Amino acid sequence: IMQTYEDAASVASGYETVEQSLSAEDGRARLLLLGAKRSGKTSILQVVFQKMSPHETLFLDPTSALEITEISNNAFVQLKILDFPGGYDFSDKKLNPEAVFKKDASIVFVIDQQDGQEDLAAVEHFLDVARLAHGINPKLSIDVLIHKVEAEAETYHDDLNERVRHIRQVIIEQLREERLNVHPTFHLTSIYDHTIFEAFSKIVQNRISQMSQLEKLLSGLVENSRVEKAYVFDVISKIYIATDNSDLDHFYELCSDAIDVVIDVSRIYSDESDSKGDEKEKENHALPYDAKSGAIIRMENNYVLHLREVDSYLALVCLMKSDPLINRGLLEYNFASFKKAVAELKARSVPNLPLRCGVMGNTVTSSRPATRTRDDTRQ
């Protein structure tokens, strides 16, 4: 479910003030989305979590007041995202910085690398936020998205690399000079390709307390099933919440496309596809994904991609070489064992928050039952 509160005076999920909402022990991981004006913060939020087309973000209005979005995609992706107006000044006392930074959270700071000289102002704003946040809570993690790194012409690559290098260097040198024990993680991102999803995958993983257990389960599956790489994906946002500990890490886009194939084919052959009504009504149906959803996709490069449902709107995606000697019965047994282990992990450690998934406009909110698919698609 997603809920957005337009300003600091709004009543949020039964709370009288935003400060009460921020201090509530609701089991959600908190992401603080900050950056300069027109840096692309809200566009990122819309593309990753509300499935807006990147081209549609050109028509978004700038964020003029604090917006809080609560996300409940599945048992492990439980987030509260604070989208601050561009260049937000914490000294204006509209919102107590203690309420924002005191609790455990991740700061996600967006810098538009296309701004030229303006990116220096954005860097200075980042340093102001880092000083304030570190003074209140030194344990906060900080991720810097050097954003709008689009696929540019070859002649511009040197300029792009120089701008990115300069931004990183200024931030690191300034933090070192001020002796701030802050070690931001840098990501190069664009909403027009998979980089923003990979960046948020790594950011969200750091906020999932069960990530290490999920990683161990995936590593065990890889070792015992001749799997090359394995991921657990949030089907709705298509960010992966865990992967095994192997060094291979360039299959994200392929796995993301596999999820699209399963959902698209399911929509075609589900019972709901026969329902009458306009396109907007059909968009209101839940994602056609349930316990029987799955796919085996055979590719021309002698690889096979397996997708299996492991929990509500969670998918296990495995890439392995096509080998006639692989024991399919043992593979299916290992998949079933992994699913059972995830269910036990969820029962032990995940707070009981309501889960509602589907698509309504650009907001994931429906709770209708999903239909199933099982496809053997060849590429």
Side-chain angles (χ1 to χ4, degrees), residues 268-280:
I268 294 172
Y269 292 102
S270 68
D271 294 336
E272 291 178 348
S273 66
D274 298 328
S275 63
K276 296 181 179 180
D278 58 24
E279 291 300 318
K280 186 173 182 180

Side-chain angles (χ1 to χ4, degrees), residues 90-110:
F90 285 95
S91 65
D92 64 6
K93 297 183 180 180
K94 289 182 179 179
L95 186 62
N96 184 1
E98 291 273 346
V100 177
F101 299 119
K102 191 67 175 177
K103 291 186 64 177
D104 191 27
S106 288
I107 296 175
V108 182
F109 197 94
V110 182

Side-chain angles (χ1 to χ4, degrees), residues 135-190:
I136 296 174
N137 185 357
K139 296 182 180 180
L140 287 174
S141 64
I142 301 179
D143 290 83
V144 176
L145 305 187
I146 302 179
H147 194 48
K148 301 184 183 179
V149 183
E150 329 293 13
E152 300 178 281
E154 190 68 30
T155 54
Y156 295 108
H157 280 186
D158 290 341
D159 291 340
L160 170 62
N161 292 334
E162 177 60 26
R163 289 197 299 271
V164 170
R165 186 199 64 79
H166 178 67
I167 292 171
R168 291 171 56 115
Q169 182 178 355
V170 171
I171 290 176
I172 293 173
E173 288 181 354
Q174 191 66 33
L175 291 173
R176 186 183 296 123
E177 182 179 327
E178 298 186 22
R179 297 184 178 181
L180 286 177
N181 188 25
V182 175
H183 305 283
T185 302
F186 294 89
H187 310 267
L188 305 185
T189 60
S190 170

Side-chain angles (χ1 to χ4, degrees), residues 34 87-90 101 107 109 121-135 174-175 178 180:
L34 292 144
Y88 189 81
D89 184 5
F90 285 95
F101 299 119
I107 296 175
F109 197 94
V123 168
E124 187 57 41
H125 179 42
F126 165 76
L127 294 171
D128 290 340
V129 171
R131 294 184 195 103
L132 178 62
H134 184 264
Q174 191 66 33
L175 291 173
E178 298 186 22
L180 286 177

Side-chain angles (χ1 to χ4, degrees), residues 47-329:
V47 169
V48 174
F49 293 106
Q50 298 198 33
K51 314 319 297 175
M52 179 179 284
S53 165
H55 298 286
E56 292 182 69
T57 63
L58 297 172
F59 306 102
L60 288 174
D61 294 327
T63 304
S64 58
L66 172 64
E67 297 180 358
I68 302 177
T69 304
E70 295 181 354
I71 298 173
S72 300
N73 287 354
N74 51 61
F76 297 98
V77 181
Q78 301 282 341
L79 305 173
K80 179 178 287 186
I81 302 178
L82 281 68
D83 183 11
F84 289 85
Y88 189 81
D89 184 5
F90 285 95
S91 65
D92 64 6
K93 297 183 180 180
K94 289 182 179 179
L95 186 62
N96 184 1
E98 291 273 346
V100 177
F101 299 119
K102 191 67 175 177
K103 291 186 64 177
D104 191 27
S106 288
I107 296 175
V108 182
F109 197 94
V110 182
I111 296 178
D112 178 3
Q113 64 84 25
Q114 295 180 352
D115 269 353
Q117 292 299 320
E118 292 297 323
D119 60 17
L120 297 179
V123 168
E124 187 57 41
H125 179 42
F126 165 76
L127 294 171
D128 290 340
V129 171
R131 294 184 195 103
L132 178 62
H134 184 264
I136 296 174
N137 185 357
K139 296 182 180 180
L140 287 174
S141 64
I142 301 179
D143 290 83
V144 176
L145 305 187
I146 302 179
H147 194 48
K148 301 184 183 179
V149 183
E150 329 293 13
E152 300 178 281
E154 190 68 30
T155 54
Y156 295 108
H157 280 186
D158 290 341
D159 291 340
L160 170 62
N161 292 334
E162 177 60 26
R163 289 197 299 271
V164 170
R165 186 199 64 79
H166 178 67
I167 292 171
R168 291 171 56 115
Q169 182 178 355
V170 171
I171 290 176
I172 293 173
E173 288 181 354
Q174 191 66 33
L175 291 173
R176 186 183 296 123
E177 182 179 327
E178 298 186 22
R179 297 184 178 181
L180 286 177
N181 188 25
V182 175
H183 305 283
T185 302
F186 294 89
H187 310 267
L188 305 185
T189 60
S190 170
I191 60 173
Y192 292 96
D193 57 30
H194 64 280
T195 53
I196 190 62
F197 294 93
E198 289 199 78
F200 261 85
S201 295
K202 294 171 183 176
I203 292 169
V204 171
Q205 284 171 28
N206 291 331
R207 310 311 309 161
I208 297 176
S209 59
Q210 304 84 8
M211 202 273 288
S212 60
Q213 293 98 313
L214 288 170
E215 182 180 300
K216 290 179 182 178
L217 290 174
L218 287 169
S219 298
L221 179 67
V222 167
E223 292 173 5
N224 293 286
S225 305
R226 295 189 182 182
V227 172
E228 297 281 321
K229 190 68 179 175
Y231 299 87
V232 173
F233 269 83
D234 169 27
V235 173
I236 298 172
S237 67
K238 291 194 298 183
I239 61 176
Y240 65 92
I241 64 171
T243 185
D244 64 273
N245 58 11
S246 67
D247 294 332
L248 297 173
D249 196 23
H250 55 274
F251 297 116
Y252 169 84
E253 197 167 5
L254 183 62
C255 297
S256 176
D257 290 344
I259 293 174
D260 285 336
V261 169
V262 171
I263 297 301
D264 290 345
V265 173
S266 298
R267 280 201 173 108
I268 294 172
Y269 292 102
S270 68
D271 294 336
E272 291 178 348
S273 66
D274 298 328
S275 63
K276 296 181 179 180
D278 58 24
E279 291 300 318
K280 186 173 182 180
E281 288 179 341
K282 291 182 179 180
E283 286 180 356
N284 289 339
H285 296 320
L287 288 178
Y289 185 85
D290 68 1
K292 296 182 179 179
S293 294
I296 301 174
I297 301 177
R298 306 183 190 278
M299 293 167 285
E300 294 180 351
N301 60 358
N302 203 35
Y303 273 89
V304 178
L305 192 148
H306 292 263
L307 186 148
R308 294 289 187 276
E309 189 266 4
V310 293
D311 199 70
S312 176
Y313 294 95
L314 283 178
L316 170 66
V317 185
C318 298
L319 192 75
M320 57 196 308
K321 290 183 178 179
S322 181
D323 187 347
L325 298 180
I326 291 179
N327 187 327
R328 282 293 301 276

